[in-house]
Amino acid sequence: VLAKKISAREVTEQFLAQTEKWNSKINAYITVNDKALERARQIDERLAKGEAIGAMAGVPVAIKDMFCTRGLRTTAASKILENFIPPYSSTVVERLEAAGAICIGKSNQDEFAMGSSNENSAFGPVRH
């Protein structure tokens, strides 16, 4: 993206297409970010203007669902937080965004990150 061989939008579209294709089978995402393409557009505009952008400009990332992401449902894989939309982002999310990363969605996990097998999520297990 920084070398302008591909746009942030093109990369994001490819990742979203793969997410749409596979998520119903593997259940890797609890929430897909419907604002990812808008973020990609903003990054492409900034690059076109010659603005400095972080080293992760246009890189799609999945954020584990335990990290708060402002405006994007964050459940910690628990039905207790099923509809929680945080008004702030965690430090790790802020730093990724400052570096130009694009959050594709919130990845599934064991409830409240208490486990390592991804089979104890209130939203169903991740199938590898």
Side-chain angles (χ1 to χ4, degrees):
V1 172
L2 289 174
K4 298 183 181 175
K5 293 181 180 178
I6 190 168
S7 71
R9 182 174 182 86
E10 290 169 315
V11 172
T12 302
E13 285 173 342
Q14 290 174 12
F15 272 79
L16 288 172
Q18 288 299 312
T19 299
E20 184 177 330
K21 177 180 178 181
W22 291 105
N23 198 50
S24 64
K25 294 176 182 150
I26 64 173
N27 201 33
Y29 288 90
I30 292 174
T31 303
V32 175
N33 186 2
D34 60 354
K35 297 177 183 139
L37 286 174
E38 175 59 24
R39 169 94 168 130
R41 184 191 62 73
Q42 292 169 355
I43 288 170
D44 286 336
E45 284 180 1
R46 290 180 62 197
L47 283 170
K49 293 177 185 176
E51 292 181 26
I53 301 179
M56 292 188 71
V59 174
V61 296
I63 306 291
K64 204 71 162 168
D65 202 34
M66 62 185 268
F67 295 108
C68 285
T69 308
R70 183 179 358 98
L72 186 60
R73 183 172 79 143
T74 301
T75 70
S78 174
K79 290 290 184 178
I80 295 168
L81 296 171
E82 183 174 17
N83 297 308
F84 178 60
I85 310 280
Y88 56 88
S89 287
S90 64
T91 300
V92 69
V93 171
E94 287 179 347
R95 289 182 180 176
L96 284 166
E97 289 177 346
I102 298 171
C103 173
I104 296 298
K106 304 301 290 286
S107 62
N108 203 349
Q109 62 179 41
D110 287 311
E111 191 168 6
F112 294 109
M114 296 177 68
S116 59
S117 62
N118 283 343
E119 63 188 341
N120 296 306
S121 167
F123 297 92
V126 176
R127 294 178 275 301
H128 299 282

PDB file of all heavy atoms in Angstrom, residues 8-30:
ATOM      1  N   ALA A   8      -5.354   0.592  -0.360  1.00  0.00           N
ATOM      2  CA  ALA A   8      -5.876   0.077   0.906  1.00  0.00           C
ATOM      3  C   ALA A   8      -7.280  -0.475   0.693  1.00  0.00           C
ATOM      4  O   ALA A   8      -7.655  -1.494   1.273  1.00  0.00           O
ATOM      5  CB  ALA A   8      -5.877   1.178   1.968  1.00  0.00           C
ATOM      6  N   ARG A   9      -8.045   0.180  -0.160  1.00  0.00           N
ATOM      7  CA  ARG A   9      -9.402  -0.295  -0.451  1.00  0.00           C
ATOM      8  C   ARG A   9      -9.382  -1.676  -1.104  1.00  0.00           C
ATOM      9  O   ARG A   9     -10.161  -2.557  -0.742  1.00  0.00           O
ATOM     10  CB  ARG A   9     -10.140   0.702  -1.339  1.00  0.00           C
ATOM     11  CG  ARG A   9     -11.568   0.263  -1.619  1.00  0.00           C
ATOM     12  CD  ARG A   9     -12.363   1.325  -2.380  1.00  0.00           C
ATOM     13  NE  ARG A   9     -13.716   0.880  -2.589  1.00  0.00           N
ATOM     14  CZ  ARG A   9     -14.708   1.039  -1.709  1.00  0.00           C
ATOM     15  NH1 ARG A   9     -14.486   1.650  -0.588  1.00  0.00           N
ATOM     16  NH2 ARG A   9     -15.920   0.598  -1.981  1.00  0.00           N
ATOM     17  N   GLU A  10      -8.488  -1.877  -2.071  1.00  0.00           N
ATOM     18  CA  GLU A  10      -8.404  -3.178  -2.741  1.00  0.00           C
ATOM     19  C   GLU A  10      -8.024  -4.290  -1.762  1.00  0.00           C
ATOM     20  O   GLU A  10      -8.616  -5.371  -1.785  1.00  0.00           O
ATOM     21  CB  GLU A  10      -7.392  -3.124  -3.887  1.00  0.00           C
ATOM     22  CG  GLU A  10      -7.850  -2.278  -5.063  1.00  0.00           C
ATOM     23  CD  GLU A  10      -6.735  -2.034  -6.062  1.00  0.00           C
ATOM     24  OE1 GLU A  10      -5.599  -1.717  -5.643  1.00  0.00           O
ATOM     25  OE2 GLU A  10      -7.018  -2.162  -7.264  1.00  0.00           O
ATOM     26  N   VAL A  11      -7.062  -4.017  -0.904  1.00  0.00           N
ATOM     27  CA  VAL A  11      -6.643  -5.008   0.089  1.00  0.00           C
ATOM     28  C   VAL A  11      -7.801  -5.314   1.034  1.00  0.00           C
ATOM     29  O   VAL A  11      -8.107  -6.476   1.311  1.00  0.00           O
ATOM     30  CB  VAL A  11      -5.420  -4.505   0.892  1.00  0.00           C
ATOM     31  CG1 VAL A  11      -5.104  -5.451   2.042  1.00  0.00           C
ATOM     32  CG2 VAL A  11      -4.214  -4.344  -0.011  1.00  0.00           C
ATOM     33  N   THR A  12      -8.469  -4.276   1.496  1.00  0.00           N
ATOM     34  CA  THR A  12      -9.583  -4.446   2.433  1.00  0.00           C
ATOM     35  C   THR A  12     -10.725  -5.214   1.783  1.00  0.00           C
ATOM     36  O   THR A  12     -11.314  -6.104   2.403  1.00  0.00           O
ATOM     37  CB  THR A  12     -10.058  -3.077   2.948  1.00  0.00           C
ATOM     38  OG1 THR A  12      -8.933  -2.422   3.563  1.00  0.00           O
ATOM     39  CG2 THR A  12     -11.170  -3.222   3.967  1.00  0.00           C
ATOM     40  N   GLU A  13     -11.039  -4.900   0.535  1.00  0.00           N
ATOM     41  CA  GLU A  13     -12.096  -5.633  -0.179  1.00  0.00           C
ATOM     42  C   GLU A  13     -11.761  -7.115  -0.275  1.00  0.00           C
ATOM     43  O   GLU A  13     -12.637  -7.966  -0.104  1.00  0.00           O
ATOM     44  CB  GLU A  13     -12.301  -5.050  -1.580  1.00  0.00           C
ATOM     45  CG  GLU A  13     -13.031  -3.730  -1.578  1.00  0.00           C
ATOM     46  CD  GLU A  13     -13.096  -3.072  -2.949  1.00  0.00           C
ATOM     47  OE1 GLU A  13     -12.298  -3.449  -3.847  1.00  0.00           O
ATOM     48  OE2 GLU A  13     -13.929  -2.173  -3.115  1.00  0.00           O
ATOM     49  N   GLN A  14     -10.493  -7.440  -0.547  1.00  0.00           N
ATOM     50  CA  GLN A  14     -10.082  -8.836  -0.642  1.00  0.00           C
ATOM     51  C   GLN A  14     -10.252  -9.552   0.696  1.00  0.00           C
ATOM     52  O   GLN A  14     -10.764 -10.679   0.754  1.00  0.00           O
ATOM     53  CB  GLN A  14      -8.631  -8.944  -1.116  1.00  0.00           C
ATOM     54  CG  GLN A  14      -8.446  -8.550  -2.556  1.00  0.00           C
ATOM     55  CD  GLN A  14      -6.985  -8.517  -2.972  1.00  0.00           C
ATOM     56  OE1 GLN A  14      -6.101  -8.991  -2.262  1.00  0.00           O
ATOM     57  NE2 GLN A  14      -6.724  -7.937  -4.133  1.00  0.00           N
ATOM     58  N   PHE A  15      -9.844  -8.907   1.777  1.00  0.00           N
ATOM     59  CA  PHE A  15      -9.969  -9.527   3.093  1.00  0.00           C
ATOM     60  C   PHE A  15     -11.427  -9.671   3.510  1.00  0.00           C
ATOM     61  O   PHE A  15     -11.813 -10.700   4.079  1.00  0.00           O
ATOM     62  CB  PHE A  15      -9.175  -8.743   4.140  1.00  0.00           C
ATOM     63  CG  PHE A  15      -7.748  -9.197   4.231  1.00  0.00           C
ATOM     64  CD1 PHE A  15      -6.815  -8.790   3.303  1.00  0.00           C
ATOM     65  CD2 PHE A  15      -7.347 -10.053   5.244  1.00  0.00           C
ATOM     66  CE1 PHE A  15      -5.497  -9.220   3.372  1.00  0.00           C
ATOM     67  CE2 PHE A  15      -6.036 -10.493   5.327  1.00  0.00           C
ATOM     68  CZ  PHE A  15      -5.108 -10.073   4.386  1.00  0.00           C
ATOM     69  N   LEU A  16     -12.236  -8.675   3.222  1.00  0.00           N
ATOM     70  CA  LEU A  16     -13.654  -8.774   3.562  1.00  0.00           C
ATOM     71  C   LEU A  16     -14.337  -9.884   2.757  1.00  0.00           C
ATOM     72  O   LEU A  16     -15.200 -10.595   3.278  1.00  0.00           O
ATOM     73  CB  LEU A  16     -14.359  -7.436   3.340  1.00  0.00           C
ATOM     74  CG  LEU A  16     -14.029  -6.348   4.353  1.00  0.00           C
ATOM     75  CD1 LEU A  16     -14.630  -5.008   3.915  1.00  0.00           C
ATOM     76  CD2 LEU A  16     -14.510  -6.718   5.749  1.00  0.00           C
ATOM     77  N   ALA A  17     -13.947 -10.042   1.505  1.00  0.00           N
ATOM     78  CA  ALA A  17     -14.519 -11.114   0.677  1.00  0.00           C
ATOM     79  C   ALA A  17     -14.159 -12.482   1.253  1.00  0.00           C
ATOM     80  O   ALA A  17     -15.009 -13.380   1.319  1.00  0.00           O
ATOM     81  CB  ALA A  17     -14.020 -10.989  -0.764  1.00  0.00           C
ATOM     82  N   GLN A  18     -12.923 -12.648   1.672  1.00  0.00           N
ATOM     83  CA  GLN A  18     -12.508 -13.913   2.283  1.00  0.00           C
ATOM     84  C   GLN A  18     -13.230 -14.147   3.612  1.00  0.00           C
ATOM     85  O   GLN A  18     -13.638 -15.267   3.923  1.00  0.00           O
ATOM     86  CB  GLN A  18     -10.991 -13.949   2.499  1.00  0.00           C
ATOM     87  CG  GLN A  18     -10.211 -14.092   1.220  1.00  0.00           C
ATOM     88  CD  GLN A  18     -10.538 -15.378   0.480  1.00  0.00           C
ATOM     89  OE1 GLN A  18     -10.570 -16.459   1.058  1.00  0.00           O
ATOM     90  NE2 GLN A  18     -10.818 -15.264  -0.812  1.00  0.00           N
ATOM     91  N   THR A  19     -13.409 -13.082   4.370  1.00  0.00           N
ATOM     92  CA  THR A  19     -14.127 -13.192   5.642  1.00  0.00           C
ATOM     93  C   THR A  19     -15.560 -13.627   5.393  1.00  0.00           C
ATOM     94  O   THR A  19     -16.073 -14.535   6.056  1.00  0.00           O
ATOM     95  CB  THR A  19     -14.096 -11.837   6.391  1.00  0.00           C
ATOM     96  OG1 THR A  19     -12.725 -11.506   6.651  1.00  0.00           O
ATOM     97  CG2 THR A  19     -14.854 -11.907   7.698  1.00  0.00           C
ATOM     98  N   GLU A  20     -16.212 -13.012   4.417  1.00  0.00           N
ATOM     99  CA  GLU A  20     -17.593 -13.366   4.091  1.00  0.00           C
ATOM    100  C   GLU A  20     -17.684 -14.817   3.609  1.00  0.00           C
ATOM    101  O   GLU A  20     -18.599 -15.553   3.979  1.00  0.00           O
ATOM    102  CB  GLU A  20     -18.135 -12.421   3.020  1.00  0.00           C
ATOM    103  CG  GLU A  20     -19.584 -12.660   2.682  1.00  0.00           C
ATOM    104  CD  GLU A  20     -20.106 -11.662   1.662  1.00  0.00           C
ATOM    105  OE1 GLU A  20     -19.615 -10.523   1.618  1.00  0.00           O
ATOM    106  OE2 GLU A  20     -21.024 -12.042   0.909  1.00  0.00           O
ATOM    107  N   LYS A  21     -16.722 -15.232   2.823  1.00  0.00           N
ATOM    108  CA  LYS A  21     -16.725 -16.577   2.262  1.00  0.00           C
ATOM    109  C   LYS A  21     -16.537 -17.644   3.344  1.00  0.00           C
ATOM    110  O   LYS A  21     -17.213 -18.666   3.328  1.00  0.00           O
ATOM    111  CB  LYS A  21     -15.604 -16.698   1.219  1.00  0.00           C
ATOM    112  CG  LYS A  21     -15.469 -18.074   0.621  1.00  0.00           C
ATOM    113  CD  LYS A  21     -14.345 -18.099  -0.390  1.00  0.00           C
ATOM    114  CE  LYS A  21     -14.163 -19.495  -0.962  1.00  0.00           C
ATOM    115  NZ  LYS A  21     -13.062 -19.544  -1.928  1.00  0.00           N
ATOM    116  N   TRP A  22     -15.634 -17.424   4.286  1.00  0.00           N
ATOM    117  CA  TRP A  22     -15.236 -18.466   5.219  1.00  0.00           C
ATOM    118  C   TRP A  22     -15.816 -18.356   6.620  1.00  0.00           C
ATOM    119  O   TRP A  22     -15.845 -19.345   7.351  1.00  0.00           O
ATOM    120  CB  TRP A  22     -13.717 -18.517   5.319  1.00  0.00           C
ATOM    121  CG  TRP A  22     -13.107 -19.013   4.057  1.00  0.00           C
ATOM    122  CD1 TRP A  22     -12.451 -18.266   3.121  1.00  0.00           C
ATOM    123  CD2 TRP A  22     -13.110 -20.345   3.567  1.00  0.00           C
ATOM    124  NE1 TRP A  22     -12.054 -19.057   2.078  1.00  0.00           N
ATOM    125  CE2 TRP A  22     -12.448 -20.350   2.332  1.00  0.00           C
ATOM    126  CE3 TRP A  22     -13.633 -21.552   4.058  1.00  0.00           C
ATOM    127  CZ2 TRP A  22     -12.281 -21.496   1.585  1.00  0.00           C
ATOM    128  CZ3 TRP A  22     -13.450 -22.695   3.302  1.00  0.00           C
ATOM    129  CH2 TRP A  22     -12.782 -22.664   2.084  1.00  0.00           C
ATOM    130  N   ASN A  23     -16.264 -17.193   7.024  1.00  0.00           N
ATOM    131  CA  ASN A  23     -16.647 -17.044   8.435  1.00  0.00           C
ATOM    132  C   ASN A  23     -17.807 -17.946   8.848  1.00  0.00           C
ATOM    133  O   ASN A  23     -17.830 -18.448   9.966  1.00  0.00           O
ATOM    134  CB  ASN A  23     -16.947 -15.595   8.791  1.00  0.00           C
ATOM    135  CG  ASN A  23     -16.904 -15.382  10.281  1.00  0.00           C
ATOM    136  OD1 ASN A  23     -15.946 -15.782  10.941  1.00  0.00           O
ATOM    137  ND2 ASN A  23     -17.942 -14.798  10.828  1.00  0.00           N
ATOM    138  N   SER A  24     -18.762 -18.173   7.967  1.00  0.00           N
ATOM    139  CA  SER A  24     -19.877 -19.047   8.346  1.00  0.00           C
ATOM    140  C   SER A  24     -19.403 -20.485   8.585  1.00  0.00           C
ATOM    141  O   SER A  24     -20.031 -21.232   9.324  1.00  0.00           O
ATOM    142  CB  SER A  24     -20.971 -19.025   7.279  1.00  0.00           C
ATOM    143  OG  SER A  24     -20.477 -19.549   6.069  1.00  0.00           O
ATOM    144  N   LYS A  25     -18.272 -20.856   8.003  1.00  0.00           N
ATOM    145  CA  LYS A  25     -17.738 -22.213   8.178  1.00  0.00           C
ATOM    146  C   LYS A  25     -16.794 -22.325   9.371  1.00  0.00           C
ATOM    147  O   LYS A  25     -16.804 -23.322  10.078  1.00  0.00           O
ATOM    148  CB  LYS A  25     -17.002 -22.649   6.912  1.00  0.00           C
ATOM    149  CG  LYS A  25     -17.925 -22.804   5.731  1.00  0.00           C
ATOM    150  CD  LYS A  25     -17.171 -23.145   4.483  1.00  0.00           C
ATOM    151  CE  LYS A  25     -18.175 -23.238   3.345  1.00  0.00           C
ATOM    152  NZ  LYS A  25     -17.690 -22.900   2.084  1.00  0.00           N
ATOM    153  N   ILE A  26     -15.965 -21.302   9.583  1.00  0.00           N
ATOM    154  CA  ILE A  26     -14.968 -21.421  10.653  1.00  0.00           C
ATOM    155  C   ILE A  26     -15.280 -20.584  11.888  1.00  0.00           C
ATOM    156  O   ILE A  26     -14.667 -20.780  12.925  1.00  0.00           O
ATOM    157  CB  ILE A  26     -13.540 -21.111  10.136  1.00  0.00           C
ATOM    158  CG1 ILE A  26     -13.424 -19.660   9.658  1.00  0.00           C
ATOM    159  CG2 ILE A  26     -13.142 -22.091   9.059  1.00  0.00           C
ATOM    160  CD1 ILE A  26     -12.010 -19.264   9.294  1.00  0.00           C
ATOM    161  N   ASN A  27     -16.212 -19.638  11.767  1.00  0.00           N
ATOM    162  CA  ASN A  27     -16.657 -18.847  12.913  1.00  0.00           C
ATOM    163  C   ASN A  27     -15.510 -18.067  13.581  1.00  0.00           C
ATOM    164  O   ASN A  27     -15.440 -17.972  14.800  1.00  0.00           O
ATOM    165  CB  ASN A  27     -17.368 -19.744  13.938  1.00  0.00           C
ATOM    166  CG  ASN A  27     -18.262 -18.969  14.867  1.00  0.00           C
ATOM    167  OD1 ASN A  27     -18.849 -17.966  14.481  1.00  0.00           O
ATOM    168  ND2 ASN A  27     -18.365 -19.425  16.102  1.00  0.00           N
ATOM    169  N   ALA A  28     -14.622 -17.533  12.771  1.00  0.00           N
ATOM    170  CA  ALA A  28     -13.459 -16.821  13.300  1.00  0.00           C
ATOM    171  C   ALA A  28     -13.788 -15.424  13.808  1.00  0.00           C
ATOM    172  O   ALA A  28     -13.092 -14.912  14.679  1.00  0.00           O
ATOM    173  CB  ALA A  28     -12.380 -16.727  12.233  1.00  0.00           C
ATOM    174  N   TYR A  29     -14.836 -14.799  13.265  1.00  0.00           N
ATOM    175  CA  TYR A  29     -15.196 -13.442  13.659  1.00  0.00           C
ATOM    176  C   TYR A  29     -16.540 -13.424  14.373  1.00  0.00           C
ATOM    177  O   TYR A  29     -17.496 -14.043  13.917  1.00  0.00           O
ATOM    178  CB  TYR A  29     -15.304 -12.525  12.436  1.00  0.00           C
ATOM    179  CG  TYR A  29     -13.978 -12.189  11.807  1.00  0.00           C
ATOM    180  CD1 TYR A  29     -13.450 -12.979  10.803  1.00  0.00           C
ATOM    181  CD2 TYR A  29     -13.267 -11.080  12.220  1.00  0.00           C
ATOM    182  CE1 TYR A  29     -12.237 -12.679  10.221  1.00  0.00           C
ATOM    183  CE2 TYR A  29     -12.046 -10.768  11.644  1.00  0.00           C
ATOM    184  CZ  TYR A  29     -11.532 -11.571  10.649  1.00  0.00           C
ATOM    185  OH  TYR A  29     -10.335 -11.264  10.084  1.00  0.00           O
ATOM    186  N   ILE A  30     -16.599 -12.676  15.451  1.00  0.00           N
ATOM    187  CA  ILE A  30     -17.872 -12.425  16.123  1.00  0.00           C
ATOM    188  C   ILE A  30     -18.560 -11.240  15.448  1.00  0.00           C
ATOM    189  O   ILE A  30     -19.756 -11.254  15.206  1.00  0.00           O
ATOM    190  CB  ILE A  30     -17.668 -12.166  17.629  1.00  0.00           C
ATOM    191  CG1 ILE A  30     -17.197 -13.456  18.307  1.00  0.00           C
ATOM    192  CG2 ILE A  30     -18.955 -11.644  18.273  1.00  0.00           C
ATOM    193  CD1 ILE A  30     -16.832 -13.307  19.766  1.00  0.00           C
TER     194      ILE A  30
END
